[in-house]
């Protein structure tokens, strides 16, 4: 008996020793186990699933398998909530939380659902939340939120149908609500649902749905005397929509229609102001003197950024500097603080003889690292300020961040060939992490060479002062080489590349531009004299070579005017040529404000600012903005 016990004890000790000295699975073994578990986890028994989890040990991607296991037992609230808490701010959190909430809604667990869900996160979950609230709340308290949820310009998920059916039977889907949704659809929504919404209107109003559809396709139809029979006041909303569209492409016709309806008592004051606002903007952008009639019709409290931009532009064109002051000073203090308005207020002070006041205000603007800051500094003869401040994360904090579970998961996603999953982990940290995590995410992305992610991470964190990270010297050798060969400034080429692609070699735009400098295939053909395969444009060297050659071409086409060449890179040389002042000259800074395309206007400002930044980073002696600050553009008579 003692010998048997001794043998058992020896065997037990031997087994323990064997286990203790057994090597941990290699990374490759764990990766293979994960991939196998990922494929089969939905088919195995709970016991097999448990073994899979145990076999993964401390593998960083193990939580993704755990998530799938927990998704099969969502009634285990304690484990689900513990997992969600443990993985807060990661893709794992929301994936399991949504599944759990769907389960809670399905089994009617009202209080846990409402306690753990924040309205506005997901449309389907919003619908479930409102249905559950109807169990214990008076419907009158819930219907306004249902109405708001229904009144959108797009189709809604079928999961919401039971909620909307009950809401409709309660008499909440009134003609006014249907009309409100039709209006939202017309104003940039999914016009394919107009025929459906039309059928929901009372029969005597269904013609309005037809009118909406026809006007969206052809706004000019409102010129016809009988197109709008004026049987209902809602027709004026269709009229206002059409006028706001027509003024851009058919200004003369739009103004004639306006005269017909200007005194119509059914054309409400708010509709009149809305149309006047669009007329003022469109006519000002065309340098049409009739803009002056419509600008005073818009009250201060309804002046948005776009309206202010074009009213300011109009006044600058006319050299009405006192009115520039009046415009800016009547705005709320928060709006006035924008560096663009501060710059133009300073210029207005100077132009009206308040030189000291203007210089003092320009000096305040000059400390900004922006287009307006650099222009203000050049006008005062001051050196441009980069105001560089590295992200406030210590070496210890960054080391701790790199050892975090999120970074470990990112590393593993990369190791198994899933870079998008790795970047998703980073994106979640950027959006939902603590401030330190957001700074760490930006720095980590920069260190990994994901320069676009670093730039976006800093934007998400609202931190703009780390110049090194926001304006990396990536592809510097290639840009220096090809820019010098093309006889263009490397800092300018770098600025264009930063704006075009944030240094993503595989970037592709919706209009078909490719690569670092966003070369269009037809541009590549123009440069090389032959058709260039699209995949070639994703080669950084080739793309930069073509992009810098194109910059050289645009400089020659624009008489070596840097600003016109920059605008041409975005909008095309032929279009930019039509924007140049005829039979007069104007200061360059005013001309830039008059560029009619917002995209090009902002593009030019950004590239010039980036050019100055890269000029300083490359230790080049010239100040980009000094010649620009005094430049006059346009034709001389």
């Amino acid at each position: 008996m003692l010998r048997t016990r001794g043998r058992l004890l020896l065997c037990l000790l031997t087994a323990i020793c064997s286990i203790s000295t057994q090597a941990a699975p290699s990374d490759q073994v764990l990766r293979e186990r994960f991939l196998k578990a990922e494929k089969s986890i939905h088919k195995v028994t709970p016991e097999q699933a448990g073994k899979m989890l145990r076999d993964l040990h401390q593998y960083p991607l193990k939580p993704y398998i755990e998530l799938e296991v927990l998704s099969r037992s969502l009634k285990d609230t304690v484990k689900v909530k513990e997992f969600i808490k443990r993985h807060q701010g990661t893709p794992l959190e929301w994936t399991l939380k949504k599944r759990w909430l769907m389960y809670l809604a399905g089994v009617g667990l009202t209080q846990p659902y409402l306690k753990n869900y924040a309205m506005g996160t997901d449309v389907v979950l919003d619908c479930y939340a409102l249905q559950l609230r109807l169990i214990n709340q008076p419907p009158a308290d819930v219907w306004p939120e249902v109405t708001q949820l229904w009144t959108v310009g797009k189709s809604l998920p079928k999961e919401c149908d039971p909620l909307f059916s009950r809401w409709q039977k309660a008499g909440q889907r009134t003609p006014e609500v249907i009309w409100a949704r039709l209006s939202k659809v017309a104003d940039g929504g999914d016009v394919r649902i107009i025929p459906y919404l039309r059928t929901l209107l009372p029969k005597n109003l269904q013609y309005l749905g037809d009118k909406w559809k026809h006007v969206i396709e052809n706004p000019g139809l409102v010129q016809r005397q009988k197109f709008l029979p004026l049987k209902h006041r809602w027709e004026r909303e269709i009229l206002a929509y059409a006028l706001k569209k027509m003024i851009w492409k058919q200004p003369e016709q739009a103004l004639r229609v306006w005269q017909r309806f200007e005194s119509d008592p059914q054309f409400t004051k708010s509709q009149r102001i809305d149309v006047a606002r669009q007329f003022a903007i469109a006519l000002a952008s065309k340098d049409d003197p009739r803009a002056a009639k419509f600008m005073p019709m818009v009250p201060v409290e309804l002046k948005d950024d776009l309206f202010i931009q074009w009213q300011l532009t109009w006044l600058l064109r006319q050299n009405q500097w006192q009115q520039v002051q009046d415009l800016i000073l009547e705005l709320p203090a928060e709006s006035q603080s924008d560096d663009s308005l501060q710059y133009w207020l300073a210029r207005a002070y100077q132009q009206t003889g308040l030189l000291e006041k203007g210089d003092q205000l320009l000096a305040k603007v000059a400390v900004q690292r922006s287009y307006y800051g650099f222009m203000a500094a050049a006008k005062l003869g001051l050196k441009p300020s980069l105001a560089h401040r590295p992200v406030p994360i210590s070496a210890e904090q960054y080391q701790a961040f790199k050892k975090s579970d999120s970074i470990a998961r990112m590393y593993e996603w990369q190791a198994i060939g899933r870079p998008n999953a790795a970047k998703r982990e980073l994106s979640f940290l950027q959006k939902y992490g603590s401030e330190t995590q957001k700074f760490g995410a930006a720095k980590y992305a920069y260190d990994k060479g994901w320069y676009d992610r670093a730039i976006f991470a800093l934007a998400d964190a609202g931190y703009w002062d780390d110049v090194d990270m926001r304006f990396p010297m990536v592809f510097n050798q290639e840009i220096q080489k090809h820019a010098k060969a093309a006889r263009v400034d490397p800092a300018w080429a770098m600025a264009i590349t930063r704006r075009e692609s944030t240094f993503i070699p595989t970037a592709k735009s919706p209009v078909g531009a490719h690569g670092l400098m966003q070369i269009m295939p037809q541009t590549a053909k123009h440069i090389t004299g032959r058709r260039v395969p699209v995949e070639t444009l994703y080669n950084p060297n080739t793309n930069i070579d073509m992009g810098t050659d194109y910059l050289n071409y645009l400089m020659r086409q624009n008489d070596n005017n840097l600003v016109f060449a920059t605008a041409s890179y975005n909008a095309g040389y032929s279009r930019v040529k039509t924007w140049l002042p005829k039979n007069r000259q104007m200061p360059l800074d005013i001309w830039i404000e008059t560029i009619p395309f917002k995209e090009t206007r902002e593009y030019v400002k950004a590239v010039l600012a980036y050019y100055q930044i890269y000029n300083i980073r490359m230790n080049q002696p010239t100040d980009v903005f000094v010649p620009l600050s005094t430049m006059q553009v346009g034709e001389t008579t």
Side-chain angles (χ1 to χ4, degrees), residues 237-280:
E237 193 166 339
I238 298 173
L239 169 66
Y241 170 89
L243 286 171
K244 290 189 295 181
K245 295 292 182 184
M246 288 173 66
I247 193 64
W248 290 97
K249 293 185 177 180
Q250 301 172 287
E252 300 303 327
Q253 295 90 325
L255 288 163
R256 281 199 296 271
V257 175
W258 166 269
Q259 287 176 346
R260 272 175 47 208
F261 289 97
E262 191 174 4
S263 302
D264 180 353
Q266 295 291 323
F267 202 32
T268 67
K269 181 180 178 180
S270 63
Q271 288 170 340
R272 260 179 247 279
I273 292 172
D274 191 30
V275 173
R277 173 190 169 278
Q278 198 69 259
F279 275 30

Side-chain angles (χ1 to χ4, degrees), residues 161-172:
D161 288 350
L163 173 68
F164 292 141
S165 178
R166 184 172 173 184
W167 167 78
Q168 175 200 345
K169 288 174 182 175
Q172 299 297 308

Side-chain angles (χ1 to χ4, degrees), residues 269 273 298-304 330-332:
K269 181 180 178 180
I273 292 172
V298 181
V300 174
E301 63 272 15
L302 295 180
K303 291 182 179 181
D304 60 1
E330 75 175 356
L331 297 172

Side-chain angles (χ1 to χ4, degrees), residues 13-256:
L13 288 171
T14 303
I16 291 171
C17 290
S18 174
I19 291 170
S20 66
T21 57
Q22 186 177 357
S26 68
D27 290 344
Q28 188 55 40
V29 168
L30 289 171
R31 286 168 190 152
E32 289 172 2
R33 288 179 183 175
F34 170 77
L35 293 171
K36 184 177 179 181
E38 191 181 38
K39 288 181 180 178
S40 59
I41 194 64
H42 301 288
K43 307 172 188 174
V44 300
T45 65
E47 290 76 18
Q48 291 171 319
K51 183 178 185 305
M52 286 179 174
L53 287 172
R54 290 191 297 274
D55 287 346
L56 286 170
H57 298 270
Q58 298 301 313
Y59 183 59
L61 298 183
K62 176 181 176 181
Y64 281 92
I65 304 303
E66 188 180 354
L67 182 151
E68 299 302 328
V69 173
L70 281 172
S71 296
R72 294 162 61 176
S73 56
L74 293 169
K75 62 183 178 181
D76 193 337
T77 300
V78 173
K79 285 186 178 179
V80 169
K81 291 180 77 171
E82 188 276 330
F83 182 92
I84 290 170
K85 183 179 180 182
R86 182 160 33 105
H87 297 288
Q88 191 173 3
T90 74
L92 292 155
E93 176 195 8
W94 178 242
T95 303
L96 184 62
K97 189 170 185 177
K98 184 171 183 177
R99 293 177 187 178
W100 180 53
L101 289 166
M102 297 283 277
Y103 162 77
L104 294 175
V107 297
L109 290 171
T110 306
Q111 292 308 314
Y113 185 100
L114 296 177
K115 184 179 178 181
N116 289 279
Y117 179 64
M119 288 292 291
T121 307
D122 179 275
V123 175
V124 171
L125 296 179
D126 282 348
C127 289
Y128 288 157
L130 292 168
Q131 286 187 74
L132 292 172
R133 281 173 55 189
L134 285 169
I135 296 172
N136 297 318
Q137 284 184 249
D141 293 347
V142 180
W143 294 145
E145 291 182 65
V146 180
T147 301
Q148 186 178 3
L149 193 63
W150 189 81
T151 314
V152 293
K154 58 185 178 181
S155 296
L156 289 157
K158 64 181 186 303
E159 290 88 347
C160 294
D161 288 350
L163 173 68
F164 292 141
S165 178
R166 184 172 173 184
W167 167 78
Q168 175 200 345
K169 288 174 182 175
Q172 299 297 308
R173 197 179 71 187
T174 63
E176 288 75 17
V177 170
I178 298 165
W179 182 252
R181 187 172 181 190
L182 260 170
S183 300
K184 288 196 175 181
V185 169
D187 189 19
D190 184 354
V191 296
R192 293 173 297 180
I193 65 174
I194 287 179
Y196 159 70
L197 294 174
R198 172 193 176 277
T199 64
L200 304 182
L201 287 167
K203 286 199 173 182
N204 67 319
L205 296 180
Q206 289 184 1
Y207 79 96
L208 292 168
D210 297 329
K211 298 297 181 185
W212 260 133
K213 185 174 183 298
H214 294 147
V215 161
I216 289 169
E217 294 168 354
N218 181 8
L221 288 172
V222 296
Q223 296 176 79
R224 299 179 183 176
Q225 292 283 346
K226 295 183 179 180
F227 179 75
L228 292 175
L230 304 183
K231 295 188 296 184
H232 197 281
R233 58 187 172 83
W234 288 347
E235 291 179 38
R236 278 63 172 191
E237 193 166 339
I238 298 173
L239 169 66
Y241 170 89
L243 286 171
K244 290 189 295 181
K245 295 292 182 184
M246 288 173 66
I247 193 64
W248 290 97
K249 293 185 177 180
Q250 301 172 287
E252 300 303 327
Q253 295 90 325
L255 288 163
R256 281 199 296 271

Side-chain angles (χ1 to χ4, degrees), residues 339 368-376 384-386 467 470-471 491-492 494-496 498-499 562-563 566 592 601-617 622-625 628:
D339 64 346
Q368 301 294 321
R369 186 186 54 257
S370 68
Y371 162 80
Y372 293 103
F374 293 146
M375 190 68 84
S385 169
L386 285 190
V467 175
R470 291 190 61 228
F471 299 95
W492 181 40
M494 186 76 88
I496 293 279
R498 164 66 167 78
R499 177 67 179 189
L562 167 80
V563 179
T566 299
I592 289 172
R601 189 167 62 248
E602 298 306 317
Y603 181 91
V604 169
K605 293 176 188 176
V607 168
L608 292 177
Y610 297 173
Y611 183 11
Q612 182 80 300
I613 292 166
Y614 277 113
N615 199 57
I616 296 169
R617 294 212 68 196
T622 56
D623 184 322
V624 172
F625 278 75
L628 304 183

